[in-house]
Amino acid sequence: MTTVFMRPAIKSDLKAIATLIDGARQFLKSQGLSQWQSGYPNEETVATDIALNRGYVLVVGSEVAGYTALLAGTDPVYEAITDGQWLSEADDYISIHRFAISDSFRGQKLAQRFMTAILTLCYDKKQFDVRIDTHPGNHPMQSVITGNGFAKRGVVYINEGQEINGERWAYQLILS
């Protein structure tokens, strides 16, 4: 059985992560989604995540199979929520962003395992309020999110490259 685990991303992962994100971007495009089609996230975004110690990779064997960024504290994207509300007004939460699985590993249920590892890390760090968003048409990601216990809390809007006020469904999970 191949070893699967999550660890902090490091500089030498940058090219593999960029390739992974480009593949995810193409997958989203093939689904007819505007998400990530403006060039964000890009290598610079990931390099910043790594420099700020907020980037994480899912490793399968010795290959980078997934990437995410975990942002602690107030996230400007989540300050204005419509069609619902957060369970807590606290600003001490984790936002999961840039969640992606490599094309080479798609369909192997690794997204669920990656999310489980992320939630375990959040719990270990005593960060019990976890939030994430995705495009309303990104059904595979919605399945990963709700399959891990998140509940839809409302709608947030992002400004991502040329996509202004892009609608995203916002989800929250309070770990207990």
Side-chain angles (χ1 to χ4, degrees):
M1 177 176 269
T2 304
T3 304
V4 178
F5 63 96
M6 184 178 80
R7 65 164 169 77
I10 55 177
K11 287 180 186 177
S12 60
D13 296 327
L14 195 55
K15 292 293 182 201
I17 296 167
T19 299
L20 181 154
I21 287 175
D22 285 343
R25 180 178 291 111
Q26 291 306 312
F27 177 75
L28 292 169
K29 184 177 183 178
S30 75
Q31 303 297 303
L33 303 179
S34 59
Q35 188 174 11
W36 290 13
Q37 298 309 303
S38 65
Y40 165 91
N42 55 39
E43 201 166 316
E44 182 180 330
T45 310
V46 174
T48 299
D49 289 341
I50 292 170
L52 295 174
N53 298 312
R54 63 187 187 196
Y56 290 84
V57 292
L58 180 71
V59 178
V60 176
S62 61
E63 290 185 66
V64 171
Y67 179 74
T68 197
L70 304 179
L71 286 64
T74 302
D75 187 329
V77 171
Y78 296 154
E79 287 184 14
I81 186 168
T82 62
D83 299 328
Q85 66 184 28
W86 299 114
L87 295 171
S88 165
E89 295 298 320
D91 59 3
D92 186 24
Y93 56 87
I94 294 290
S95 302
I96 302 171
H97 288 290
R98 300 182 273 292
F99 186 99
I101 298 293
S102 167
D103 289 342
S104 302
F105 294 94
R106 188 168 289 119
Q108 297 181 30
K109 305 288 184 197
L110 290 172
Q112 293 286 358
R113 292 177 75 176
F114 196 13
M115 186 64 76
T116 298
I118 291 165
L119 296 176
T120 301
L121 177 66
C122 291
Y123 189 88
D124 187 56
K125 292 181 175 244
K126 302 194 181 334
Q127 294 285 331
F128 303 117
D129 187 343
V130 186
R131 302 176 187 188
I132 189 169
D133 66 87
T134 194
H135 191 283
N138 192 343
H139 302 295
M141 190 64 210
Q142 289 169 28
S143 179
V144 171
I145 292 168
T146 60
N148 277 279
F150 286 84
K152 185 177 176 216
R153 301 304 310 156
V155 175
V156 295
Y157 294 89
I158 58 104
N159 294 319
E160 180 180 285
Q162 299 196 0
E163 185 178 6
I164 305 301
N165 293 321
E167 182 179 322
R168 299 293 185 263
W169 287 2
Y171 298 81
Q172 183 178 29
L173 174 64
I174 306 293
L175 298 168
S176 56

PDB file of all heavy atoms in Angstrom, residues 2-29:
ATOM      1  N   THR A   2       0.540   2.212  -0.811  1.00  0.00           N
ATOM      2  CA  THR A   2       1.295   3.459  -0.920  1.00  0.00           C
ATOM      3  C   THR A   2       0.993   4.377   0.252  1.00  0.00           C
ATOM      4  O   THR A   2      -0.160   4.495   0.674  1.00  0.00           O
ATOM      5  CB  THR A   2       0.932   4.172  -2.238  1.00  0.00           C
ATOM      6  OG1 THR A   2       1.163   3.276  -3.321  1.00  0.00           O
ATOM      7  CG2 THR A   2       1.749   5.417  -2.433  1.00  0.00           C
ATOM      8  N   THR A   3       1.998   5.039   0.768  1.00  0.00           N
ATOM      9  CA  THR A   3       1.842   5.972   1.868  1.00  0.00           C
ATOM     10  C   THR A   3       1.185   7.254   1.377  1.00  0.00           C
ATOM     11  O   THR A   3       1.559   7.802   0.332  1.00  0.00           O
ATOM     12  CB  THR A   3       3.220   6.311   2.485  1.00  0.00           C
ATOM     13  OG1 THR A   3       3.851   5.094   2.878  1.00  0.00           O
ATOM     14  CG2 THR A   3       3.075   7.231   3.672  1.00  0.00           C
ATOM     15  N   VAL A   4       0.191   7.726   2.128  1.00  0.00           N
ATOM     16  CA  VAL A   4      -0.505   8.974   1.820  1.00  0.00           C
ATOM     17  C   VAL A   4      -0.483   9.821   3.084  1.00  0.00           C
ATOM     18  O   VAL A   4      -0.904   9.362   4.150  1.00  0.00           O
ATOM     19  CB  VAL A   4      -1.971   8.718   1.389  1.00  0.00           C
ATOM     20  CG1 VAL A   4      -2.687  10.031   1.116  1.00  0.00           C
ATOM     21  CG2 VAL A   4      -2.028   7.796   0.184  1.00  0.00           C
ATOM     22  N   PHE A   5       0.020  11.059   2.964  1.00  0.00           N
ATOM     23  CA  PHE A   5       0.064  11.946   4.125  1.00  0.00           C
ATOM     24  C   PHE A   5       0.092  13.403   3.679  1.00  0.00           C
ATOM     25  O   PHE A   5       0.351  13.708   2.517  1.00  0.00           O
ATOM     26  CB  PHE A   5       1.275  11.635   5.018  1.00  0.00           C
ATOM     27  CG  PHE A   5       2.614  11.861   4.340  1.00  0.00           C
ATOM     28  CD1 PHE A   5       3.311  13.050   4.510  1.00  0.00           C
ATOM     29  CD2 PHE A   5       3.176  10.877   3.532  1.00  0.00           C
ATOM     30  CE1 PHE A   5       4.537  13.251   3.887  1.00  0.00           C
ATOM     31  CE2 PHE A   5       4.397  11.067   2.906  1.00  0.00           C
ATOM     32  CZ  PHE A   5       5.083  12.264   3.077  1.00  0.00           C
ATOM     33  N   MET A   6      -0.177  14.298   4.626  1.00  0.00           N
ATOM     34  CA  MET A   6      -0.130  15.734   4.380  1.00  0.00           C
ATOM     35  C   MET A   6       1.067  16.316   5.127  1.00  0.00           C
ATOM     36  O   MET A   6       1.377  15.888   6.233  1.00  0.00           O
ATOM     37  CB  MET A   6      -1.414  16.400   4.884  1.00  0.00           C
ATOM     38  CG  MET A   6      -1.484  17.887   4.577  1.00  0.00           C
ATOM     39  SD  MET A   6      -3.035  18.645   5.136  1.00  0.00           S
ATOM     40  CE  MET A   6      -2.686  18.866   6.884  1.00  0.00           C
ATOM     41  N   ARG A   7       1.718  17.283   4.497  1.00  0.00           N
ATOM     42  CA  ARG A   7       2.822  17.988   5.148  1.00  0.00           C
ATOM     43  C   ARG A   7       2.837  19.433   4.655  1.00  0.00           C
ATOM     44  O   ARG A   7       2.209  19.757   3.638  1.00  0.00           O
ATOM     45  CB  ARG A   7       4.150  17.298   4.851  1.00  0.00           C
ATOM     46  CG  ARG A   7       4.551  17.344   3.379  1.00  0.00           C
ATOM     47  CD  ARG A   7       6.031  17.006   3.195  1.00  0.00           C
ATOM     48  NE  ARG A   7       6.381  16.792   1.804  1.00  0.00           N
ATOM     49  CZ  ARG A   7       6.559  17.746   0.896  1.00  0.00           C
ATOM     50  NH1 ARG A   7       6.381  19.014   1.209  1.00  0.00           N
ATOM     51  NH2 ARG A   7       6.908  17.442  -0.344  1.00  0.00           N
ATOM     52  N   PRO A   8       3.573  20.302   5.358  1.00  0.00           N
ATOM     53  CA  PRO A   8       3.722  21.678   4.862  1.00  0.00           C
ATOM     54  C   PRO A   8       4.412  21.681   3.488  1.00  0.00           C
ATOM     55  O   PRO A   8       5.323  20.880   3.241  1.00  0.00           O
ATOM     56  CB  PRO A   8       4.605  22.349   5.915  1.00  0.00           C
ATOM     57  CG  PRO A   8       4.401  21.536   7.156  1.00  0.00           C
ATOM     58  CD  PRO A   8       4.210  20.120   6.678  1.00  0.00           C
ATOM     59  N   ALA A   9       3.952  22.555   2.623  1.00  0.00           N
ATOM     60  CA  ALA A   9       4.594  22.712   1.311  1.00  0.00           C
ATOM     61  C   ALA A   9       5.945  23.394   1.498  1.00  0.00           C
ATOM     62  O   ALA A   9       6.112  24.240   2.392  1.00  0.00           O
ATOM     63  CB  ALA A   9       3.710  23.534   0.385  1.00  0.00           C
ATOM     64  N   ILE A  10       6.890  23.041   0.651  1.00  0.00           N
ATOM     65  CA  ILE A  10       8.219  23.651   0.677  1.00  0.00           C
ATOM     66  C   ILE A  10       8.548  24.182  -0.721  1.00  0.00           C
ATOM     67  O   ILE A  10       7.897  23.820  -1.705  1.00  0.00           O
ATOM     68  CB  ILE A  10       9.295  22.654   1.163  1.00  0.00           C
ATOM     69  CG1 ILE A  10       9.282  21.372   0.315  1.00  0.00           C
ATOM     70  CG2 ILE A  10       9.090  22.324   2.646  1.00  0.00           C
ATOM     71  CD1 ILE A  10      10.358  20.367   0.678  1.00  0.00           C
ATOM     72  N   LYS A  11       9.568  25.042  -0.785  1.00  0.00           N
ATOM     73  CA  LYS A  11       9.915  25.691  -2.055  1.00  0.00           C
ATOM     74  C   LYS A  11      10.117  24.707  -3.196  1.00  0.00           C
ATOM     75  O   LYS A  11       9.706  24.968  -4.324  1.00  0.00           O
ATOM     76  CB  LYS A  11      11.158  26.557  -1.890  1.00  0.00           C
ATOM     77  CG  LYS A  11      10.940  27.820  -1.117  1.00  0.00           C
ATOM     78  CD  LYS A  11      12.231  28.620  -1.007  1.00  0.00           C
ATOM     79  CE  LYS A  11      12.042  29.812  -0.095  1.00  0.00           C
ATOM     80  NZ  LYS A  11      13.292  30.564   0.076  1.00  0.00           N
ATOM     81  N   SER A  12      10.735  23.573  -2.908  1.00  0.00           N
ATOM     82  CA  SER A  12      11.003  22.606  -3.974  1.00  0.00           C
ATOM     83  C   SER A  12       9.722  21.951  -4.513  1.00  0.00           C
ATOM     84  O   SER A  12       9.756  21.291  -5.545  1.00  0.00           O
ATOM     85  CB  SER A  12      11.990  21.537  -3.502  1.00  0.00           C
ATOM     86  OG  SER A  12      11.475  20.839  -2.406  1.00  0.00           O
ATOM     87  N   ASP A  13       8.585  22.162  -3.859  1.00  0.00           N
ATOM     88  CA  ASP A  13       7.297  21.655  -4.334  1.00  0.00           C
ATOM     89  C   ASP A  13       6.646  22.580  -5.361  1.00  0.00           C
ATOM     90  O   ASP A  13       5.667  22.205  -6.002  1.00  0.00           O
ATOM     91  CB  ASP A  13       6.291  21.514  -3.170  1.00  0.00           C
ATOM     92  CG  ASP A  13       6.680  20.495  -2.130  1.00  0.00           C
ATOM     93  OD1 ASP A  13       7.301  19.474  -2.497  1.00  0.00           O
ATOM     94  OD2 ASP A  13       6.349  20.714  -0.947  1.00  0.00           O
ATOM     95  N   LEU A  14       7.176  23.793  -5.496  1.00  0.00           N
ATOM     96  CA  LEU A  14       6.499  24.846  -6.257  1.00  0.00           C
ATOM     97  C   LEU A  14       6.120  24.432  -7.680  1.00  0.00           C
ATOM     98  O   LEU A  14       4.987  24.644  -8.111  1.00  0.00           O
ATOM     99  CB  LEU A  14       7.365  26.113  -6.268  1.00  0.00           C
ATOM    100  CG  LEU A  14       6.685  27.397  -6.706  1.00  0.00           C
ATOM    101  CD1 LEU A  14       5.435  27.687  -5.900  1.00  0.00           C
ATOM    102  CD2 LEU A  14       7.664  28.556  -6.577  1.00  0.00           C
ATOM    103  N   LYS A  15       7.030  23.838  -8.418  1.00  0.00           N
ATOM    104  CA  LYS A  15       6.736  23.446  -9.807  1.00  0.00           C
ATOM    105  C   LYS A  15       5.638  22.381  -9.862  1.00  0.00           C
ATOM    106  O   LYS A  15       4.730  22.459 -10.697  1.00  0.00           O
ATOM    107  CB  LYS A  15       7.992  22.938 -10.512  1.00  0.00           C
ATOM    108  CG  LYS A  15       9.030  24.014 -10.739  1.00  0.00           C
ATOM    109  CD  LYS A  15       8.544  25.065 -11.733  1.00  0.00           C
ATOM    110  CE  LYS A  15       9.655  26.084 -11.962  1.00  0.00           C
ATOM    111  NZ  LYS A  15       9.148  27.338 -12.478  1.00  0.00           N
ATOM    112  N   ALA A  16       5.711  21.395  -8.979  1.00  0.00           N
ATOM    113  CA  ALA A  16       4.690  20.341  -8.950  1.00  0.00           C
ATOM    114  C   ALA A  16       3.322  20.931  -8.600  1.00  0.00           C
ATOM    115  O   ALA A  16       2.300  20.548  -9.185  1.00  0.00           O
ATOM    116  CB  ALA A  16       5.077  19.252  -7.956  1.00  0.00           C
ATOM    117  N   ILE A  17       3.305  21.875  -7.668  1.00  0.00           N
ATOM    118  CA  ILE A  17       2.045  22.515  -7.275  1.00  0.00           C
ATOM    119  C   ILE A  17       1.494  23.345  -8.435  1.00  0.00           C
ATOM    120  O   ILE A  17       0.291  23.297  -8.723  1.00  0.00           O
ATOM    121  CB  ILE A  17       2.227  23.384  -6.014  1.00  0.00           C
ATOM    122  CG1 ILE A  17       2.605  22.513  -4.822  1.00  0.00           C
ATOM    123  CG2 ILE A  17       0.964  24.191  -5.726  1.00  0.00           C
ATOM    124  CD1 ILE A  17       3.116  23.280  -3.612  1.00  0.00           C
ATOM    125  N   ALA A  18       2.358  24.080  -9.112  1.00  0.00           N
ATOM    126  CA  ALA A  18       1.911  24.903 -10.252  1.00  0.00           C
ATOM    127  C   ALA A  18       1.305  24.020 -11.341  1.00  0.00           C
ATOM    128  O   ALA A  18       0.254  24.353 -11.916  1.00  0.00           O
ATOM    129  CB  ALA A  18       3.073  25.722 -10.801  1.00  0.00           C
ATOM    130  N   THR A  19       1.922  22.892 -11.608  1.00  0.00           N
ATOM    131  CA  THR A  19       1.401  21.949 -12.603  1.00  0.00           C
ATOM    132  C   THR A  19       0.047  21.399 -12.158  1.00  0.00           C
ATOM    133  O   THR A  19      -0.900  21.310 -12.950  1.00  0.00           O
ATOM    134  CB  THR A  19       2.401  20.800 -12.825  1.00  0.00           C
ATOM    135  OG1 THR A  19       3.628  21.351 -13.311  1.00  0.00           O
ATOM    136  CG2 THR A  19       1.876  19.779 -13.811  1.00  0.00           C
ATOM    137  N   LEU A  20      -0.044  21.042 -10.891  1.00  0.00           N
ATOM    138  CA  LEU A  20      -1.277  20.523 -10.314  1.00  0.00           C
ATOM    139  C   LEU A  20      -2.409  21.547 -10.446  1.00  0.00           C
ATOM    140  O   LEU A  20      -3.522  21.215 -10.872  1.00  0.00           O
ATOM    141  CB  LEU A  20      -0.982  20.202  -8.854  1.00  0.00           C
ATOM    142  CG  LEU A  20      -2.010  19.629  -7.922  1.00  0.00           C
ATOM    143  CD1 LEU A  20      -1.297  18.868  -6.823  1.00  0.00           C
ATOM    144  CD2 LEU A  20      -2.853  20.694  -7.318  1.00  0.00           C
ATOM    145  N   ILE A  21      -2.117  22.807 -10.109  1.00  0.00           N
ATOM    146  CA  ILE A  21      -3.130  23.862 -10.185  1.00  0.00           C
ATOM    147  C   ILE A  21      -3.535  24.132 -11.633  1.00  0.00           C
ATOM    148  O   ILE A  21      -4.717  24.337 -11.926  1.00  0.00           O
ATOM    149  CB  ILE A  21      -2.648  25.139  -9.459  1.00  0.00           C
ATOM    150  CG1 ILE A  21      -2.708  24.890  -7.943  1.00  0.00           C
ATOM    151  CG2 ILE A  21      -3.475  26.354  -9.853  1.00  0.00           C
ATOM    152  CD1 ILE A  21      -2.170  25.991  -7.087  1.00  0.00           C
ATOM    153  N   ASP A  22      -2.573  24.105 -12.548  1.00  0.00           N
ATOM    154  CA  ASP A  22      -2.920  24.276 -13.970  1.00  0.00           C
ATOM    155  C   ASP A  22      -3.866  23.170 -14.432  1.00  0.00           C
ATOM    156  O   ASP A  22      -4.818  23.429 -15.177  1.00  0.00           O
ATOM    157  CB  ASP A  22      -1.663  24.299 -14.838  1.00  0.00           C
ATOM    158  CG  ASP A  22      -0.905  25.614 -14.738  1.00  0.00           C
ATOM    159  OD1 ASP A  22      -1.496  26.619 -14.276  1.00  0.00           O
ATOM    160  OD2 ASP A  22       0.283  25.623 -15.117  1.00  0.00           O
ATOM    161  N   GLY A  23      -3.623  21.949 -13.997  1.00  0.00           N
ATOM    162  CA  GLY A  23      -4.514  20.841 -14.335  1.00  0.00           C
ATOM    163  C   GLY A  23      -5.903  21.041 -13.755  1.00  0.00           C
ATOM    164  O   GLY A  23      -6.914  20.790 -14.429  1.00  0.00           O
ATOM    165  N   ALA A  24      -5.965  21.499 -12.510  1.00  0.00           N
ATOM    166  CA  ALA A  24      -7.257  21.768 -11.872  1.00  0.00           C
ATOM    167  C   ALA A  24      -7.990  22.888 -12.606  1.00  0.00           C
ATOM    168  O   ALA A  24      -9.216  22.822 -12.798  1.00  0.00           O
ATOM    169  CB  ALA A  24      -7.047  22.131 -10.403  1.00  0.00           C
ATOM    170  N   ARG A  25      -7.247  23.893 -13.033  1.00  0.00           N
ATOM    171  CA  ARG A  25      -7.837  25.011 -13.790  1.00  0.00           C
ATOM    172  C   ARG A  25      -8.481  24.498 -15.084  1.00  0.00           C
ATOM    173  O   ARG A  25      -9.593  24.872 -15.444  1.00  0.00           O
ATOM    174  CB  ARG A  25      -6.774  26.066 -14.096  1.00  0.00           C
ATOM    175  CG  ARG A  25      -7.279  27.248 -14.877  1.00  0.00           C
ATOM    176  CD  ARG A  25      -6.202  28.302 -15.109  1.00  0.00           C
ATOM    177  NE  ARG A  25      -5.860  28.950 -13.850  1.00  0.00           N
ATOM    178  CZ  ARG A  25      -4.703  28.808 -13.205  1.00  0.00           C
ATOM    179  NH1 ARG A  25      -3.739  28.071 -13.705  1.00  0.00           N
ATOM    180  NH2 ARG A  25      -4.488  29.421 -12.064  1.00  0.00           N
ATOM    181  N   GLN A  26      -7.767  23.607 -15.784  1.00  0.00           N
ATOM    182  CA  GLN A  26      -8.300  23.038 -17.024  1.00  0.00           C
ATOM    183  C   GLN A  26      -9.525  22.165 -16.745  1.00  0.00           C
ATOM    184  O   GLN A  26     -10.488  22.173 -17.526  1.00  0.00           O
ATOM    185  CB  GLN A  26      -7.217  22.240 -17.755  1.00  0.00           C
ATOM    186  CG  GLN A  26      -6.112  23.102 -18.323  1.00  0.00           C
ATOM    187  CD  GLN A  26      -6.646  24.224 -19.217  1.00  0.00           C
ATOM    188  OE1 GLN A  26      -7.474  24.007 -20.092  1.00  0.00           O
ATOM    189  NE2 GLN A  26      -6.188  25.443 -18.971  1.00  0.00           N
ATOM    190  N   PHE A  27      -9.503  21.430 -15.647  1.00  0.00           N
ATOM    191  CA  PHE A  27     -10.651  20.605 -15.272  1.00  0.00           C
ATOM    192  C   PHE A  27     -11.870  21.493 -15.029  1.00  0.00           C
ATOM    193  O   PHE A  27     -12.969  21.204 -15.515  1.00  0.00           O
ATOM    194  CB  PHE A  27     -10.339  19.768 -14.032  1.00  0.00           C
ATOM    195  CG  PHE A  27     -11.509  18.955 -13.551  1.00  0.00           C
ATOM    196  CD1 PHE A  27     -11.892  17.807 -14.227  1.00  0.00           C
ATOM    197  CD2 PHE A  27     -12.222  19.336 -12.432  1.00  0.00           C
ATOM    198  CE1 PHE A  27     -12.982  17.051 -13.796  1.00  0.00           C
ATOM    199  CE2 PHE A  27     -13.305  18.598 -11.990  1.00  0.00           C
ATOM    200  CZ  PHE A  27     -13.687  17.450 -12.668  1.00  0.00           C
ATOM    201  N   LEU A  28     -11.688  22.591 -14.284  1.00  0.00           N
ATOM    202  CA  LEU A  28     -12.795  23.515 -14.022  1.00  0.00           C
ATOM    203  C   LEU A  28     -13.321  24.114 -15.323  1.00  0.00           C
ATOM    204  O   LEU A  28     -14.534  24.230 -15.518  1.00  0.00           O
ATOM    205  CB  LEU A  28     -12.355  24.612 -13.048  1.00  0.00           C
ATOM    206  CG  LEU A  28     -12.062  24.146 -11.619  1.00  0.00           C
ATOM    207  CD1 LEU A  28     -11.387  25.257 -10.834  1.00  0.00           C
ATOM    208  CD2 LEU A  28     -13.332  23.677 -10.920  1.00  0.00           C
ATOM    209  N   LYS A  29     -12.415  24.461 -16.216  1.00  0.00           N
ATOM    210  CA  LYS A  29     -12.813  25.019 -17.510  1.00  0.00           C
ATOM    211  C   LYS A  29     -13.632  23.998 -18.295  1.00  0.00           C
ATOM    212  O   LYS A  29     -14.653  24.341 -18.904  1.00  0.00           O
ATOM    213  CB  LYS A  29     -11.581  25.434 -18.317  1.00  0.00           C
ATOM    214  CG  LYS A  29     -11.908  26.104 -19.624  1.00  0.00           C
ATOM    215  CD  LYS A  29     -10.642  26.553 -20.333  1.00  0.00           C
ATOM    216  CE  LYS A  29     -10.974  27.296 -21.616  1.00  0.00           C
ATOM    217  NZ  LYS A  29      -9.754  27.770 -22.294  1.00  0.00           N
TER     218      LYS A  29
END
